[in-house]
Amino acid sequence: VQLQESGPGLVKPSETLSLTCIVSGVSISNYYWSWIRQPPGKRLEWIGNIYYSGTTNYNPSLESRVTISLDTSKNQFSLKVGSVTAADTAVYFCAGGAGWLPGFWGQGTLVTVSS
Amino acid sequence: EIVLTQSPGTLSLSPGETATLSCRASQSVRSNYLAWYQRKPGQAPRILITGASNRAAGIPDRLSGSGSGTDFTLTISRLEPEDFAVYYCQQYGSSPLTFGGGTKVEIK
């Protein structure tokens, strides 16, 4: 199983951060798919997850700005974070698992919010 | 949300020694849904332990997890060069899922 995050490494303040996770080696069906981030010098933060049925769960701290979606035809899922600030600068990981536990992860991608 | 506190922050040990890592939760972790991960620079985090004490596939028995409720431990016996990394605990029994701050195991 391989997961690969892709998307811009630099986003301007107040804009929308968009990332995609391309999944290979397993069907996106029948799993939970998560996004997790780690700001510099801080701990890992769970952003939310989506089940293959489309049901989503979000961290309340980010829920108002976050959307996670699936594209089963492309075997990938996506993250959007709106109205970003410097506090959203982080390494973003995509991950998957049979339940809520993220059992397999991508390597992560650094997204910097700066003008 | 459940806050996880890991200690110590850094553990300096020699190959062959035993590492004992602690993870303490601010409230009881439902069904002991506590996992441990290993993370190395530039690599994807690797899951080691689920359900507090169940080794994930391919994890050697030198690594063991124990504990319940609010106190959990990861023990790594006979440290090998590939064990020097950062280790995180994570609870997945309550939303939002939360992580500990990490313990770095470094070569002494």
Side-chain angles (χ1 to χ4, degrees):
Chain A
V1 180
Q2 286 195 324
L3 283 72
Q4 181 64 56
E5 303 88 354
S6 66
L10 181 64
V11 181
K12 289 183 168 56
S14 80
E15 294 189 345
T16 295
L17 179 161
S18 296
L19 294 174
T20 295
C21 182
I22 301 168
V23 180
S24 57
V26 66
S27 170
I28 206 165
S29 299
N30 294 322
Y31 285 95
Y32 283 86
W33 302 99
S34 300
W35 287 97
I36 296 150
R37 70 181 185 178
Q38 186 168 35
K42 296 189 175 183
R43 64 180 59 197
L44 290 156
E45 179 180 35
W46 177 75
I47 298 170
N49 65 20
I50 186 167
Y51 192 43
Y52 80 98
S53 63
T55 302
T56 52
N57 303 278
Y58 297 122
N59 192 322
S61 67
L62 295 164
E63 187 167 12
S64 63
R65 298 191 295 125
V66 168
T67 301
I68 298 175
S69 59
L70 278 176
D71 187 337
T72 54
S73 66
K74 294 182 180 179
N75 218 47
Q76 62 187 40
F77 62 107
S78 299
L79 170 71
K80 291 187 188 297
V81 182
S83 305
V84 296
T85 68
D88 294 306
T89 294
V91 176
Y92 285 77
F93 296 92
C94 60
W100 278 54
L101 174 65
F104 39 93
W105 296 51
Q107 290 189 335
T109 186
L110 175 63
V111 179
T112 301
V113 178
S114 175
S115 55
Chain B
E1 72 178 45
I2 296 178
V3 177
L4 299 177
T5 302
Q6 290 189 244
S7 61
T10 303
L11 208 45
S12 298
L13 295 167
S14 301
E17 292 190 305
T18 296
T20 302
L21 288 66
S22 172
C23 177
R24 180 161 290 176
S26 60
Q27 55 188 281
S28 185
V29 176
R30 184 176 69 89
S31 301
N32 294 326
Y33 284 159
L34 192 287
W36 289 93
Y37 296 88
Q38 178 192 68
R39 185 169 168 199
K40 296 181 179 179
Q43 295 186 17
R46 178 189 182 197
I47 194 161
L48 305 173
I49 302 287
T50 65
S53 61
N54 303 304
R55 274 185 294 275
I59 302 303
D61 58 10
R62 299 184 296 103
L63 280 71
S64 63
S66 62
S68 65
T70 61
D71 288 298
F72 301 89
T73 302
L74 175 68
T75 302
I76 310 172
S77 304
R78 304 182 301 282
L79 279 165
E80 297 192 2
E82 62 265 26
D83 296 328
F84 292 94
V86 180
Y87 293 82
Y88 295 95
C89 59
Q90 182 217 1
Q91 67 80 23
Y92 54 103
S94 305
S95 184
L97 278 62
T98 50
F99 294 83
T103 292
K104 181 180 182 180
V105 179
E106 64 176 23
I107 298 177
K108 186 174 182 181

